Structures are given as C-alpha cells and as structure tokens.
Amino acid sequence: MQLLRWLWPLFLVIGGGSSAPQNVLLLLADDAGFESGAYLNKFCQTPNLDALAKRGLVFNNAFTSVSSCSPSRAQLLTGQASHSSGMYGLHNGEHNFNVLPETSSLSNLLRDQSGGRILSGIIGKKHVGAAANFRFDFEQTEEQHSINQIGRNITRMKEYAHQFLKQAKDEKKPFFLMVAFHDPHRCGHITPQFGEFCERWGSGEEGMGSIPDWRPIYYDWRNLEVPPWLPDTDVVRQELAAQYMTISRLDQGVGLMVRELEQAGLAEDTLVIYTSDNGPPFPGGRTNLYEHGIRSPLIVRSPKTEDRHHETTAAMVSLLDIYPTVLDALEIPKPNDTKIAGKSIFPVLKEEPAIKESDSVFGSHNLHEVTMSYPMRMVRNRRYKLIHNLNFWADFPIDQDFYTSPTFQQILNATITKQPLPWYRSLLQYYQRPEWELFDIKADPLERVNLAEKPKYSGTLKQLKQQLFDWQVATKDPWRCAPHAVLQEQGVFKEQPVCLTLGHEALQRPNRRILGQYEEYEIA
C-alpha cells in the first residue's frame, strides 16, 4: 500500500493528470541566503517573496550541491553534479570552465525532444558554457548586455520578460523561462563607487542613475542583528545593511516577474520556482560546503489547486532535483543518463513525505576561480554531515571579491595585528582544515566540533564515508580515489576500475597529523 500511495501522485503528474504541460518560471538569485520574511528574517523587507511563499510551498531543507556560481547554474540546467558535467569552476574570463562536450542542458533537451514545441528563454545572468551546450530560444544575458543592466536593472528585465511571455502566448507554446538576477552578488572589488553590493547603482542618488521600477529600501545598520555564524562587529552590520538593500531590488524584481506572468494570463498554468545558486559571500558561506554555503532558499508555487499552498516542508531536496522537476512539468521524459543525480519534487507538492534520519543530499565542489583548487565532497543527512577535503594539505583559498570585502579585511587585519575579534572561529581554523570533517548538525548547527576523530562516532563516520563513495562511483566522479590513491579504469582495469594507493600511509608531513591507513576500495 505504501508503494501505491507514492505512485498515485506521480501518475497524476506524468501520466496525463492535466490536459497540457505546465509552464515553468525559474527565478534565481545570485549569492542569496535566507534574507527574507518567508525564512523568518525580521529585518530584511521582502513583501514579494513573502507573498510567493504564502501561495506556494516553502522548503526548509533545500541544498545546493555546489557552492559556486557557474557550477551551480550548470547543476540546475543539466541535473548533474559539477564533477559529472565538467563545469568545475567559473565560466567567465581566465577561469574558462565549460561543461564536457557531450553534456546536454534543459534548453537543448526541451527543444530537441519537443521538436520546437516548447519555448525556452533566459533573462539575466547566464554564466555557463559552452554556448552550444546551453542554447536558449530567447536569450538576453551578459553575452548581449552589461551584467548590471541585464541582472540588476529590474525594469529592463521586466521588459524582456514581457517580450518572451508574449511570444510564448502568441505561438501557443509551453515554456521554460529562467530569470537570473545578479543581486545580491558583491561588486565592490570592480565598481566600488556603487557600494559593496552595488546597492547604490540605479538608486536615484546623485550620479547613480535610476531604475524606474525600484523603490530602494535603506537600512540603519545600527539596528541590525548579526547572525551567529558571522563576526559580531559594526563592519558586518554595515555590510548586512548594504546586502539587504540589494535584496530589496531582487525582491521587487521577483514581484515584477510574477505580475508579468499574471498580466499575460499565464499564471494559472505556470509552476514558479524561486531559489539561489549558493550561499552569501561571507566567511563560511559561498565556496564552502558548510551549512551557510549550501543551504538554499526554495519556494515552489504550483498552479494546481490540489497541490500544497501556504505550507512549509521538511523534505530533504537538492537543487539537482530542479532539472527532473522541470522535465516533469513539461512532460518530457528524463534522459537515460546515469550522471543525472536528482529526482522530481512533484510528490512533495502533493503530500509531505515520511521523515527518515537517512534522508541525504550530496555536495561536490572543485574550484571557484581557477586559482582556487580545493576539491571537497559532502554527504549530509538529517543529523550528520561529512565533508571530505581532498586538498587538505593546502590552506583554504579566498576568492577575489570576498577578499576585498570589509568583513574579510577586518578578520585579516585583526589576525595580523593580534587583535581580538568576536567570531566563533579563528582565521587559522578557517584556512587549515582536516581531511575529514564530521558534524552533528542537530547539536552543533554552527559546525564547531569535528567528530571525525572521536571513537564514539566511528560507526557513523564509516557509514557516511561509504555512502559518499558510492555516490561518487554512481556519478562517475574523477576525484573518487583522491587524495590517497589514483583511479585506474582503462587497459587491464577497464572492466574492474580500482583505486591504487599512493603510499601516503607511509609518509609523515610537517605540521600535519600522520595519515591513517588508506582504505582501498574497488569500484563496482
């Protein structure tokens, strides 16, 4: 009976429960966390996101599988972890990362499988490549415009959304539209005159220009509370005030997109999804697999009256699940590709799944900027998280725009001058990480106590290690034998790939603990 209970909602979705496929509007923030009323932030004003939440389902356990911009956007559009798609790091400039040539994307798949019956579009920040792998029918991105004009100018974004929706309606085509805001990404290292988060750009202040549809909201930093994972300083409060101001621009942009949908008469046929590519650009946030780097806001508004609305869910989901969810909505079969790691969230829109302690999500981070090689893998269930730092002999790298931020500069200068800083960890602890980090998230939400070396947790550690390794094998992770072995899967090893030891167990390294015996795995 339990099996039938789960098959029934899937039949409604996939087996023709509606006369036509649903459209999909994906609203994507850039480096946003939980700065919204919908997620109980009592300072940041987000009436449009809050309204969307009241009409939809709010996910409290949604996670990105990678905490970096281009790899995260690629995960949404390919359904693959970063190590599978080949989008290892940032796409732009000298970083030059692209997906593997054979990797397909939602836009390409929808066009090919529907014979052009479904219209795809992207407005805002694209930041993935190569172009042939991500070809949308309608594109207005940083490839045609300056990034601020197409990612922060919500009036211009609204106008392009209007054009796209009119085209979809005139051509009577179901659609997938991705609106990717550039807010609240930092910009202080490139255009400091606009503020650390470009919060003054388009504000109507002298020399800043104006965005007609944006009504800036100014925050008094002296009245803000600092979240417990950040240093409790006035510098951080000032940064939060700037970040919240750009969140208000993002929020008003979300409102504009929803209104365009309604005015086009398409809201009752469109699944609306709001999320963010990764966590905020603060210490422990973006580029980390710690909680504030990978936990994601996720709000899903279904147009179906029988689906859940004005509710929250504790279901464990990954942003890898967006890809199969879009395919379900548009009634396109999921490709027979073992690298596609997610599953549709449609059943969760119908009813709350049973909670199991073993419910898990996975993470795979390789690089951010090309100079930031620090591959990490992660498995997280409802209670425990295990992080495998593959490059643990090196110090954790800092990206360029976060390095110049007032928050990091305060941490750095306080460390150099040996001044006290009200932060729950030191810069040395942040830089130097052990190979394995095991945290009890329920008891230790700030991830302060590493349990990996404690005998009491040896069973949990072993089980999570095996679960993580199995996922790496299933998704064909080239790093699955790192760092203590080399993967051999060609020639005589083609039928039975193996991890062959590098002999690290026999070596000692100064200022690092002696490595334990390497556990050799054979890959099934």
Side-chain angles (χ1 to χ4, degrees), residues 482-502:
H484 302 303
V486 171
L487 173 65
Q488 293 289 355
E489 57 178 349
Q490 299 181 19
V492 297
F493 301 106
K494 186 173 183 178
E495 298 301 320
Q496 289 187 314
V498 294
C499 295
L500 299 180
T501 184
L502 288 166

Side-chain angles (χ1 to χ4, degrees), residues 61-168:
N61 285 307
F63 301 84
T64 180
S65 71
V66 56
S67 192
S68 177
C69 182
S70 295
S72 180
R73 289 157 197 269
Q75 97 185 305
L76 293 169
L77 293 171
T78 68
Q80 299 183 21
S82 60
H83 63 251
S84 299
S85 71
M87 186 65 73
Y88 304 134
L90 298 183
H91 166 65
N92 59 303
E94 67 275 12
H95 313 301
N96 199 39
F97 288 104
N98 292 305
V99 294
L100 297 170
E102 68 274 14
T103 301
S104 185
S105 67
L106 267 175
S107 55
N108 288 20
L109 181 68
L110 294 176
R111 181 174 52 255
D112 295 342
Q113 292 297 316
S114 72
R117 179 178 58 85
I118 296 173
L119 186 69
S120 66
I122 183 169
I123 299 168
K125 185 175 178 179
K126 188 178 182 183
H127 211 203
V128 289
N133 298 81
F134 299 92
R135 187 163 60 85
F136 290 78
D137 301 319
F138 181 100
E139 294 196 25
Q140 297 293 338
T141 72
E142 74 276 9
E143 295 175 0
Q144 295 86 30
H145 309 269
S146 70
I147 185 61
N148 279 353
Q149 287 291 357
I150 198 58
R152 302 191 201 261
N153 188 335
I154 58 176
T155 295
R156 178 169 289 190
M157 297 175 77
K158 176 194 72 173
E159 292 166 352
Y160 285 126
H162 180 85
Q163 290 181 26
F164 175 87
L165 295 173
K166 183 178 185 302
Q167 180 180 344

Side-chain angles (χ1 to χ4, degrees), residues 398-511:
I398 306 298
D399 63 274
Q400 292 177 349
D401 66 343
F402 174 53
Y403 179 87
T404 62
S405 71
T407 293
F408 184 75
Q409 286 299 306
Q410 184 179 44
I411 294 172
L412 181 62
N413 291 327
T415 302
I416 292 172
T417 59
K418 295 181 169 51
Q419 298 297 311
L421 185 73
W423 191 32
Y424 71 94
R425 67 174 73 191
S426 69
L427 188 57
L428 182 63
Q429 291 170 333
Y430 192 72
Y431 284 158
Q432 294 193 356
R433 307 181 183 187
E435 180 178 2
W436 297 99
E437 295 180 274
L438 175 64
F439 301 108
D440 183 341
I441 300 299
K442 283 189 176 180
D444 179 27
L446 288 179
E447 300 164 291
R448 301 180 68 173
V449 181
N450 183 11
L451 306 174
E453 298 293 332
K454 297 186 180 298
K456 177 181 176 181
Y457 297 92
S458 60
T460 300
L461 178 65
K462 182 177 180 180
Q463 182 266 321
L464 289 175
K465 278 185 177 182
Q466 190 63 56
Q467 188 179 0
L468 179 58
F469 184 78
D470 291 345
W471 180 74
Q472 291 180 262
V473 172
T475 55
K476 296 180 172 59
D477 186 355
W479 278 266
R480 60 188 179 267
C481 295
H484 302 303
V486 171
L487 173 65
Q488 293 289 355
E489 57 178 349
Q490 299 181 19
V492 297
F493 301 106
K494 186 173 183 178
E495 298 301 320
Q496 289 187 314
V498 294
C499 295
L500 299 180
T501 184
L502 288 166
H504 290 171
E505 66 274 11
L507 302 176
Q508 295 187 24
R509 296 173 183 268
N511 302 322

Side-chain angles (χ1 to χ4, degrees), residues 175 269 321 350 400 442 509:
F175 65 83
D269 300 304
D321 299 333
K350 300 293 180 183
Q400 292 177 349
K442 283 189 176 180
R509 296 173 183 268

Side-chain angles (χ1 to χ4, degrees), residues 255-266:
L256 290 176
M257 299 306 152
V258 172
R259 281 191 287 278
E260 284 297 321
L261 195 65
E262 293 170 345
Q263 289 169 8
L266 296 167

